[in-house]
């Protein structure tokens, strides 16, 4: 399928690793020039070098903290000053705070609570506010929010992640309605469990503790969570959905909240 993405530009947050990097790579494969945003410059530059090597597209790194308005604004001004990224067709807000501990988030302090909301929910709004005048109004403009199943179901320990994802899912619909006047489509994708580098380490840890092969642990976890497909998503599967949504082929998909979770949020019960 010809997606017509060659030569377009994208800004992806949280693009130095994991799902964000996979999304950047998926878009780059289609000839999209990509700007990568995260805080750690070294990691960003390593990611950029790999993308340039593999796909021969233009890559720009902007080191910024999405939870800070000034930092986001300054990153956007850096891009505005470049010949390639002064116009941005595709905005992907993917950055998020990892849930590193299984402990109840109810007992976190206020700064820890705030960080999750600041990065995921307010970060997405902050980003759109900062880049809006750089998105073309010719129908190629896309905002794609990467949320998570915690925003659509109760999944422990994601109390704050759930609140932040649910807020961003709701804001996606609002933004779709408001930005339709500029012919910009706004959609959210809702992944379940994804086999990122960090998730692979986490799975290996569990497998070692229970002395079982990682594949068996994953099958058991999938069953426990109600993932009817019986496995996690590969990062490339998430990237493929984002690439399609970014393309002209998806021009009639607007304000959608699309689960990509192997059936996790079907909430399957019974045998
Ligand atoms: N992995 C899963 O199973 C899964 C499932 C559902 C949804 N999701 C969602 O998908 C997104 C990506 O997940 P992932 O597992 O790939 O995450 P990850 O491996 O933890 O990567 C997070 C990315 O976000 C960046 N980031 C974090 N805080 C930031 C900040 N304040 N400002 C700018 N960048 C920031 C990180 O770089 P720096 O630290 O250098 O800033 C990194 O590039 C997250 O929103 C997550 O909630 C993941």
């Amino acid at each position: 399928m010809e997606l017509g993405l060659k030569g377009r530009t994208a800004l992806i947050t949280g693009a130095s690793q994991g799902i964000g990097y996979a999304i950047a790579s998926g878009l780059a494969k289609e000839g999209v020039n990509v700007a990568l945003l995260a805080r750690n410059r070294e990691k960003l530059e390593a990611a950029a070098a790999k993308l340039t090597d593999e796909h021969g597209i233009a890559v720009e790194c902007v080191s910024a903290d999405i939870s800070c308005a000034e930092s986001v604004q300054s990153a956007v001004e850096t891009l505005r000053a470049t010949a390639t990224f002064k116009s941005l067709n595709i905005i992907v807000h993917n950055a998020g705070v990892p849930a590193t501990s299984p402990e109840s988030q109810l007992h976190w302090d206020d700064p820890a609570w705030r960080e999750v909301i600041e990065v995921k929910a307010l970060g997405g709004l902050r980003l759109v506010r900062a880049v809006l005048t750089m998105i073309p109004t010719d129908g190629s403009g896309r905002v794609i929010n990467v949320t998570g199943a915690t925003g659509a179901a109760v999944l422990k320990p994601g109390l704050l992640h759930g609140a932040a994802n649910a807020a961003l899912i709701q804001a996606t619909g609002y933004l779709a309605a408001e930005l339709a006047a500029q012919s910009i489509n706004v959609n959210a994708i809702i992944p379940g469990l994804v086999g990122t580098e960090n998730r692979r380490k986490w799975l290996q840890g569990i497998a070692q503790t229970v002395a079982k092969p990682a594949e068996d642990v994953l099958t058991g976890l999938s069953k426990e969570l109600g993932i009817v497909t019986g496995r996690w998503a590969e990062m490339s599967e998430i990237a493929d959905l984002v690439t399609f949504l970014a393309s002209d082929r998806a021009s009639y998909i607007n304000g959608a909240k699309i689960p990509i979770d192997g059936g996790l949020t079907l909430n399957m019960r019974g045998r």
Side-chain angles (χ1 to χ4, degrees):
M1 188 188 287
E2 174 53 52
L3 294 174
L5 284 168
K6 196 169 172 29
R8 292 204 177 153
T9 50
L11 168 61
I12 303 119
T13 71
S16 56
Q17 64 182 49
I19 297 171
Y21 177 79
I23 290 170
S25 176
L27 290 169
K29 210 190 282 175
E30 295 298 319
V32 176
N33 299 309
V34 292
L36 315 177
L37 185 151
R39 289 165 302 180
N40 185 311
R41 177 160 284 282
E42 245 172 70
K43 277 196 188 173
L44 278 175
E45 283 172 357
K50 214 162 156 236
L51 291 172
T52 315
D53 260 17
E54 284 173 11
H55 306 290
I57 37 96
V59 185
E60 188 76 36
C61 297
V62 274
S63 163
D65 183 345
I66 195 85
S67 67
C68 166
E70 292 75 27
S71 179
V72 172
Q73 196 58 45
S74 138
V76 168
E77 292 317 321
T78 302
L79 293 177
R80 205 193 293 273
T82 65
T84 308
F85 296 99
K86 61 178 184 250
S87 162
L88 291 167
N89 304 98
I90 305 152
I91 308 299
V92 182
H93 178 45
N94 160 81
V97 177
T100 47
S101 153
E103 298 308 316
S104 168
Q105 299 179 354
L106 180 61
H107 305 293
W108 283 5
D109 60 13
D110 281 29
W113 275 358
R114 257 189 226 115
E115 188 192 4
V116 180
I117 305 278
E118 282 286 352
V119 171
K120 180 53 54 182
L122 294 181
L125 297 185
R126 203 171 273 129
L127 185 70
V128 171
R129 181 177 62 189
V131 298
L132 196 51
T133 57
M134 294 160 74
I135 307 179
T137 54
D138 60 0
S140 66
R142 299 282 185 274
V143 175
I144 301 163
N145 291 319
V146 179
T147 68
T150 52
V154 174
L155 290 169
K156 284 183 173 179
L159 169 61
L160 263 295
H161 295 78
N165 281 326
L168 189 58
I169 290 168
Q170 170 61 20
T172 296
Y174 182 94
L175 290 175
E178 181 146 334
L179 303 189
Q182 282 130 282
S183 303
I184 299 168
N185 288 20
V186 187
N187 292 296
I189 67 159
I190 313 176
L193 197 62
V194 187
T196 59
E197 301 90 341
N198 284 341
R199 281 274 182 227
R200 281 176 202 280
K201 281 186 210 145
W202 166 79
L203 182 68
Q204 282 303 338
I206 302 177
Q208 263 169 19
T209 310
V210 299
K212 280 190 179 166
E215 305 79 67
D216 294 356
V217 175
L218 185 55
T219 306
L221 272 170
S222 301
K223 209 171 222 170
E224 207 177 293
L225 286 168
I227 302 175
V228 298
T229 307
R231 61 171 176 88
W232 60 23
E234 296 302 334
M235 290 188 278
S236 61
E237 293 176 305
I238 308 296
D240 286 347
L241 175 58
V242 171
T243 303
F244 177 70
L245 288 174
S247 77
D248 291 343
R249 296 290 177 137
S251 54
Y252 202 61
I253 304 178
N254 198 7
K257 296 116 191 205
I258 306 172
I260 173 160
D261 63 5
L264 165 62
T265 46
L266 289 175
N267 200 12
M268 192 273 295
R269 287 187 167 84
R271 290 159 202 258

